[in-house]
Amino acid sequence: MTAPFGRGTRIAGTGRALPAEVVTNADLEKIVDTSDEWIVQRTGIRARHRAAEADTVFSLGRDALLKALDRAGVRADQLDMIIVATVSGEMLCPSTAARISEAVGAGEAAVFDLAAACSGFLYGLNLADTMIRCGRAERVAIIGVEVLTRLVDWNDRTVSIIFGDGAGAAVVVADPDPRKGCVHQTMHGDGRMWRTLYHPKCDRDVPAGDEANPIRLGHLRMHGREIYKFAVTRFQEAIQDALDRTGLKVGDVQQYICHQSNQRIIESAVEKLKLPPERVYVNIDRYGNTSAASIPICLDELYEAGRIEAGKPIILVAFGAGVTWASCVWNP
Ligand code: ACO
């Protein structure tokens, strides 16, 4: 089970940053007609972090990267590339990655933002592995960061209960062993489904047929049911495909790290594929859906807890707006 090219990669360090404020389901009960019971049953979410005025995609992303660099023992000026996966950056121009690069002192590292929503971090990790493996880079930082609570209409109970803010980062470096790092990856999209989740700024952004949707401009519009059906199917297919392509058995995998979108979506994959539940990481109860930040926050918590051992593969899968989906089999 080795990927092409003569060398491999490894995650040298991870980090995360969360805003201090925690919004519980009880807090939401005071804003909209909902209940802790409904939210927990339908999504598994109990609380989410919300950015304060001073917290930004830039500041959270920077803080997560600084921790990851520290743990990796890599200096910022040794990075060849900084990829920031986000759909909620404060500015479209310049990239958030450019501002983070200046803040951490990354010199002339390549910088760009990657807008693949919840699949963004995995797209970035897959790209980083490929760039390093083929010798085009030595050290790449990937940051997944979102402040989605600023894009949400807090009076829209179908959306506001789901999303939370946060950041996670990983520093990936070259490793002489080609069996290390990403040994299988997929990245997909289906633009025909973009209307299921979008963020219209003005009337012309609203697609034909959705004009009657009462959600105000400037806020996320989500057709939750459609996303749910798509996600349940794709999650299962992506994990099964990753197992089939690598010849791994369900029990060979030490951790399944799924985008934390909805606990029911994760549980349906666990049931269908008979995954050992103790190896399927879940933290959606504490963070909600943090989109591109969700997978790197999981990774950081697992590394911090010493739950990722060298030599045993992990499988990462994500889906998101666009729609996009991606998978990665990673040999730590
Ligand atoms: N509290 C109480 N009741 C609610 C709430 C709420 N927060 N939201 C909706 N309801 C009601 C609805 O009005 C409806 O009532 P009705 O039957 O009287 O009409 C009922 O609950 C059922 O509504 P549904 O929308 O059918 O609820 P569903 O079981 O589909 O759950 C949910 C909704 C949680 C949004 C689910 O569809 C979901 O998780 N979808 C995927 C969302 C997702 O993952 N989005 C992000 C992916 S992409 C990315 O991460 C960027």
Side-chain angles (χ1 to χ4, degrees):
M1 193 180 60
T2 54
F5 306 109
R7 65 178 184 170
T9 67
R10 77 189 152 83
I11 294 175
T14 58
R16 66 180 184 277
L18 280 310
E21 188 194 2
V22 173
V23 179
T24 64
N25 292 348
D27 295 326
L28 287 174
E29 284 175 5
K30 293 176 200 145
I31 304 171
V32 284
D33 180 15
T34 191
S35 66
D36 176 56
E37 192 191 1
W38 192 95
I39 301 172
V40 172
Q41 266 184 12
R42 302 282 175 131
T43 68
I45 301 168
R46 293 179 189 275
R48 67 289 288 148
H49 289 248
R50 181 165 61 185
E53 196 50 37
D55 297 318
T56 59
V57 166
F58 160 72
S59 70
L60 292 167
R62 174 201 59 201
D63 293 352
L65 175 58
L66 285 171
K67 283 182 195 148
L69 285 167
D70 188 45
R71 291 212 182 117
V74 169
R75 292 193 322 271
D77 64 4
Q78 293 178 307
L79 292 173
D80 297 311
M81 182 178 286
I82 300 176
I83 304 172
V84 175
T86 188
V87 288
S88 52
E90 287 76 41
M91 290 194 269
L92 276 176
C93 181
S95 66
T96 303
R99 291 194 295 143
I100 290 178
S101 171
E102 183 202 31
V104 301
E108 296 184 358
V111 284
F112 62 94
D113 292 357
L114 193 164
C118 309
S119 310
F121 180 83
L122 267 196
Y123 270 44
L125 185 67
N126 286 343
L127 288 172
D129 178 89
T130 305
M131 290 293 289
I132 295 172
R133 227 169 245 286
C134 70
R136 301 270 189 239
E138 295 297 318
R139 297 168 205 89
V140 178
I142 314 109
I143 305 167
V145 52
E146 304 285 6
V147 177
L148 286 170
T149 62
R150 290 211 181 106
L151 307 189
V152 159
D153 176 355
W154 284 84
N155 294 311
D156 176 8
R157 67 178 183 171
T158 65
V159 178
S160 64
I161 57 149
I162 289 180
F163 295 107
D165 302 331
V171 173
V172 180
V173 301
D175 188 287
D177 185 346
R179 292 167 301 180
K180 297 267 185 190
C182 177
V183 291
H184 170 73
Q185 60 167 268
T186 62
M187 293 190 269
H188 292 288
D190 186 348
R192 291 165 296 188
M193 283 187 71
W194 73 265
R195 294 166 189 79
T196 52
L197 180 58
Y198 65 102
H199 181 237
K201 292 207 174 104
C202 56
D203 282 326
R204 70 167 176 268
D205 294 340
V206 178
D210 219 19
E211 301 90 345
N213 195 329
I215 310 308
R216 283 186 292 135
L217 293 173
H219 293 107
L220 282 172
R221 296 183 185 206
M222 183 174 80
H223 296 274
R225 266 277 143 112
E226 282 175 59
I227 297 182
Y228 188 91
K229 280 190 232 153
F230 151 78
V232 164
T233 316
R234 287 287 177 222
F235 251 31
Q236 293 168 10
E237 285 174 359
I239 296 172
Q240 189 63 59
D241 173 67
L243 292 168
D244 293 346
R245 298 291 192 96
T246 52
L248 290 167
K249 302 271 173 291
V250 161
D252 297 333
V253 177
Q254 64 167 313
Q255 279 292 340
Y256 294 86
I257 304 178
C258 304
H259 166 49
Q260 307 287 303
S261 57
N262 181 320
Q263 192 164 337
R264 284 195 297 156
I265 295 174
I266 298 173
E267 277 167 2
S268 75
V270 169
E271 274 168 36
K272 182 88 195 256
L273 303 175
K274 300 196 171 28
L275 308 179
E278 68 282 3
R279 296 195 197 173
V280 181
Y281 196 63
V282 174
N283 63 12
I284 193 171
D285 51 322
R286 290 176 284 133
Y287 300 124
N289 177 343
T290 57
S291 188
S294 134
I295 286 196
I297 290 173
C298 291
L299 261 180
D300 187 49
E301 290 192 337
L302 284 163
Y303 271 110
E304 197 171 66
R307 288 176 60 187
I308 297 190
E309 288 172 42
K312 293 184 189 164
I314 58 177
I315 289 185
L316 307 104
V317 285
F319 71 92
V323 291
T324 56
W325 64 101
S327 68
C328 173
V329 181
W330 189 275
N331 249 344

